[in-house]
Amino acid sequence: MAFRHGTRTMRRWVGLVVGGLLALLVGPGAVAAPAAPAAAPPAAQDAREAVAAMQPGWNLGNSLDATGGDETSWGNPRITEELLDNVRAQGFNSIRVPVTWTQRLAPDHTIDAAHLDRVEEVVDWALADGFYVMLNIHHDSWEWIADMPADRAGVLARYEAIWTQLADRFRDADQRLTFESVNEPQFNGSSGDAENAELLDVLNTTFHRVVRDSGGGNATRLLVLPSLHTSADQPRLDELAATFDALDDPNLVATVHYYGYWPFSVNVAGGFRFDDTARADLTGMFDRVHDTFVARGIPVIIGEYGLLGFDRHTGTIQQGEKLKFFELFGHQARARNITTMLWDNGQHFQRTGFRWNDPELFAQIESSWTTRSGTASSDQVFSARSAPIADASLTLHPNGTTFTGLWHGDTELARGADYTVDGDRLTLTAAALTRLGGDREYGVNAVLHARFSSGVPWRIDLITHDTPVLGAASGTTSAFAVPTDFRGDRLATMEAVYDDGSNAGPHDWTPFKEFDRAFAPDYDAGATTLTPEFFAEVDDGARVTLTFHYWSGTTLTYHITRSGTSVTGAPA
């Protein structure tokens, strides 16, 4: 992911289940049963078959691409053979190895020999594991390549020097090694789209010439070319297609990145659900990429995908909404014959423990490689403890599968007595909710699973709640939290407006603030934190009305006032 160690860019709008469960049982330091060796790569000229064989792929992010002192400078441990063995055992057939070269270049652009040896070592380990490997120039894109409008000759000299050395070093490497010209290309101070397109075309064609002219295996090696910003917007795709037409090389691959519809991807502007707009953004991306390239016989790799809110942790987007995104993403990739590479900067697969931090998420991703899964309108059913228990309904989304039953652990619930299904409407009876709710402590009292004819079951949490209680507070712009007795409820989003109705805080084009950036719930501490980033864009002396939206449907208002660095707050 092209971010500067945890920052984001707004222009990036990011075996079946049994195999996944077996992988999760692997203990620290152990290696799961090795995946079957990748089939011998197709003839180099058959780019479509080669790219199809690369599905699915994984990114070794925030390691060799780190811009600090070495590959551990962004918090990940040193890469080991054991890590790659374990990644391979999860079912991944390709691995993208992002590398930032800037800090390893001499004044004459010679790459530090030890660093190049280290990159080759990692590439060799991956090839030995049976991976297809994609090697690139990564954060150099914003570190110096972006200066090309003002320093065309200097940038091209350095860029050509790097690829000359890489082409020479890997000239006779296995054909499963592919080269990617540059990650997320961008240009500072250009005159606009036309100049951007021309500059990227120069980079891509220079890359193509240098690698092809080096001979050996590079004469037919697969080369991967990105669009501007690796965007899937149609003008950017058209620009890249023009480069493909001019090069007329059958061993070229197009690449874009996808991190979702931006409000949903980071949970801002009220985008806390994977709604029709977010779904249309996803399917539209696949349609454009397919029609521009795949339909013409040009293979495509989505070199990075995920959600931008994952930069910190995967909890920024609610679990069920997140799973629906990945289920549809995987289906669209299969339907459109597009290879995908999961962006992982260490937040998904543990680099030493060799376990998934979110096993349920990986199970959904893994299942989507081969089949569809049924989902539902929500994975949460709320029942207020202060009110009589009533029937509760969800809308099933079979996604081409068939609903087969509802389970509580190993017990199948009784259709008719415990639940009914009318079309795609699943209704849990009050009697079942009463029985399963037990003592009705606040929070999740039971977990059900809706099973379908294929894919992973859909988890449904039965949650007992009451209206949260907010308390008065005082603090500072660097440390302020609203005392919150959540009483089993969960926070979805927060609005912030001034008394005159204008929007307060960051992203002042919307009243809905960014989850985990402007505010964050702390369920264990019983507090809702407002961040220094939020207060940095709140007017001094002004009163702000906050509206907290909870997943149960409850909304609560709260007033805060900033006076210098002091902040006071109280329920409305």
Side-chain angles (χ1 to χ4, degrees), residues 468-471 481-487 522-523 525-529 548 550 556:
V469 176
L470 308 179
V482 178
T484 308
D485 183 355
F486 290 96
R487 303 174 83 192
D522 187 335
Y523 298 108
T528 304
T529 300
F548 295 105
Y550 298 89
L556 295 175

Side-chain angles (χ1 to χ4, degrees), residues 267 272 316 490-494 515 519 521 523 548-551:
N267 194 348
F272 58 93
T316 299
R490 292 291 182 266
L491 185 60
T493 189
M494 181 191 81
F515 195 103
F519 69 98
Y523 298 108
F548 295 105
H549 295 254
Y550 298 89
W551 280 101

Side-chain angles (χ1 to χ4, degrees), residues 77 174 184 539:
D174 191 296
E184 297 187 353
D539 294 344

Side-chain angles (χ1 to χ4, degrees), residues 119-178:
V119 171
E120 184 178 25
E121 180 179 47
V122 172
V123 168
D124 286 347
W125 288 342
L127 291 171
D129 264 333
F131 282 112
Y132 286 78
V133 180
M134 189 157 76
L135 180 67
N136 76 354
I137 289 179
H138 204 74
H139 292 304
D140 307 80
S141 60
W142 54 260
E143 287 195 313
W144 54 272
I145 292 175
D147 297 331
M148 193 173 172
D151 184 22
R152 186 185 186 106
V155 166
L156 278 176
R158 184 185 292 190
Y159 179 80
E160 184 166 347
I162 293 173
W163 274 118
T164 297
Q165 293 169 82
L166 296 181
D168 179 67
R169 175 62 67 100
F170 295 103
R171 180 176 181 272
D172 296 314
D174 191 296
Q175 286 292 294
R176 285 173 297 148
L177 174 64
T178 67

Side-chain angles (χ1 to χ4, degrees), residues 63-120:
S63 288
L64 292 171
D65 55 317
T67 60
D70 63 17
E71 67 190 79
T72 68
S73 63
W74 281 3
N76 280 322
R78 189 172 170 82
I79 302 162
T80 62
E81 285 185 271
E82 191 176 22
L83 168 63
L84 301 189
D85 293 344
N86 276 275
V87 172
R88 182 77 176 99
Q90 307 306 306
F92 291 99
N93 290 322
S94 61
I95 183 169
R96 184 169 179 253
V97 181
V99 183
T100 301
W101 303 92
T102 309
Q103 67 273 22
R104 301 296 187 177
L105 296 178
D108 66 353
H109 311 320
T110 300
I111 301 172
D112 175 75
H115 184 61
L116 187 53
D117 288 345
R118 173 58 172 162
V119 171
E120 184 178 25

